[in-house]
Amino acid sequence: MSIQLHQVTVTLKKRSILRNVSLSFCSPLTYILGLNGSGKTTLLRTITGEVAFKGRVLIEDKDGRHMNEHERALKLAVVSQRVNLPFQLNVLEFVLMGRYAKLDWWRSYGASDRKRVEEELERMGILGLKGREMNEISGGELQKVLLARALAQDTPWLLLDEPGQQLDPKSRKNLYQMLTDLSQEGKKIICSTHDREAVEAGNNRIIGMKDGEVVYSRENENDWETVWQALYA
């Protein structure tokens, strides 16, 4: 089970964002690091079909260009930096949206869907927020709600774009330990980040990017100073 990019190039407004990137994601947990503008977010958005590209993207051997929205939602759960929030919903209703791809055309959300949602809200430590309106929660709480929705989607792949950016230090550490645990339980995770806690959690693959190209790749890297010197110094 893998996601593969073959000679992928992305050009936006005449600027090359990704340059002939070829990668195979098959490790349980991959972190993508690099300076702002290095191409991390664009790489994820290429996998999710949000940007036009040259080259080829295969999601579990299926050409990404030929996958419709429903097929993607069964394979990929995404936590993006760009979120359109339906503020008229409460937290429980919002997280239930993650179950949409699992519904048959004749069925609405049922007790089993609500149970799955409450399990993920509890995992994130925010079950007590389930009745709160989306416009009443903090940025850190929102990030946890987004993670809960993605996990409730029950997909083999979880794609995260800087999920620790709104979290306090303790919550960030807990987040990356949770991702390590999920990867050991069988979830495949690709996560862009700047966070030291991600690297130091270990049991990962580190991909480093500069100027739209992959310049660093190492398995089981947990030495932040080595990563820092390679990508940020």
Side-chain angles (χ1 to χ4, degrees):
M1 188 167 68
S2 67
I3 292 176
Q4 298 176 40
L5 283 71
H6 299 281
Q7 296 293 303
V8 169
T9 294
V10 175
T11 302
L12 300 174
K13 297 181 179 179
K14 299 183 178 181
R15 177 171 169 253
S16 293
I17 310 299
L18 295 181
R19 305 177 185 181
N20 294 317
V21 172
S22 293
L23 277 172
S24 179
F25 294 99
C26 52
S27 299
L29 177 56
T30 301
Y31 289 116
I32 305 170
L33 286 85
L35 293 169
N36 290 339
S38 61
K40 303 186 303 298
T41 295
T42 300
L43 190 150
L44 292 178
R45 296 181 70 214
T46 300
I47 294 171
T48 59
E50 297 175 71
V51 295
F53 63 91
K54 294 180 180 179
R56 200 171 183 212
V57 175
L58 297 178
I59 299 172
E60 297 185 356
D61 296 325
K62 182 161 186 177
D63 192 323
R65 284 194 173 96
H66 299 154
M67 296 179 74
N68 60 38
E69 184 176 344
H70 182 259
E71 289 173 319
R72 286 182 186 277
L74 290 173
K75 295 292 185 182
L76 310 174
V78 181
V79 176
S80 174
Q81 294 185 53
R82 307 175 184 185
V83 184
N84 295 318
L85 291 176
F87 288 120
Q88 72 276 15
L89 299 181
N90 64 32
V91 168
L92 179 66
E93 292 166 337
F94 179 74
V95 178
L96 265 173
M97 293 170 61
R99 302 291 299 167
Y100 180 77
K102 301 291 186 182
L103 299 180
D104 298 313
W105 66 267
W106 66 86
R107 186 171 69 87
S108 60
Y109 299 115
S112 62
D113 298 305
R114 286 174 172 78
K115 181 180 178 182
R116 278 295 295 119
V117 164
E118 290 189 352
E119 288 171 351
E120 296 307 337
L121 290 172
E122 186 169 16
R123 187 205 296 261
M124 300 307 304
I126 53 173
L127 183 58
L129 297 179
K130 68 179 183 179
R132 293 268 296 275
E133 300 297 316
M134 290 296 295
N135 62 350
E136 295 176 350
I137 63 177
S138 70
E141 289 169 340
L142 172 60
Q143 199 68 6
K144 293 178 181 181
V145 168
L146 295 174
L147 283 161
R149 185 178 69 166
L151 291 171
Q153 199 171 326
D154 284 336
T155 57
W157 290 89
L158 180 62
L159 275 59
L160 309 168
D161 193 6
E162 298 191 28
Q165 62 179 340
Q166 296 285 345
L167 301 179
D168 59 61
K170 181 179 179 181
S171 294
R172 274 202 308 274
K173 184 176 181 179
N174 291 341
L175 164 69
Y176 292 115
Q177 183 58 57
M178 181 190 74
L179 296 185
T180 297
D181 294 343
L182 286 169
S183 70
Q184 292 172 346
E185 294 167 12
K187 185 83 75 175
K188 296 278 192 176
I189 301 168
I190 306 172
C191 175
S192 78
T193 183
H194 292 292
D195 295 334
R196 178 176 187 149
E197 295 92 338
V199 175
E200 292 181 340
N203 297 312
N204 54 40
R205 177 189 183 197
I206 302 295
I207 297 293
M209 298 190 69
K210 281 186 178 179
D211 299 324
E213 298 179 341
V214 175
V215 297
Y216 185 94
S217 178
R218 188 171 295 180
E219 297 280 352
N220 299 317
E221 176 62 82
N222 61 5
D223 185 347
W224 173 252
E225 295 304 322
T226 297
V227 175
W228 174 270
Q229 289 298 320
L231 299 175
Y232 299 107

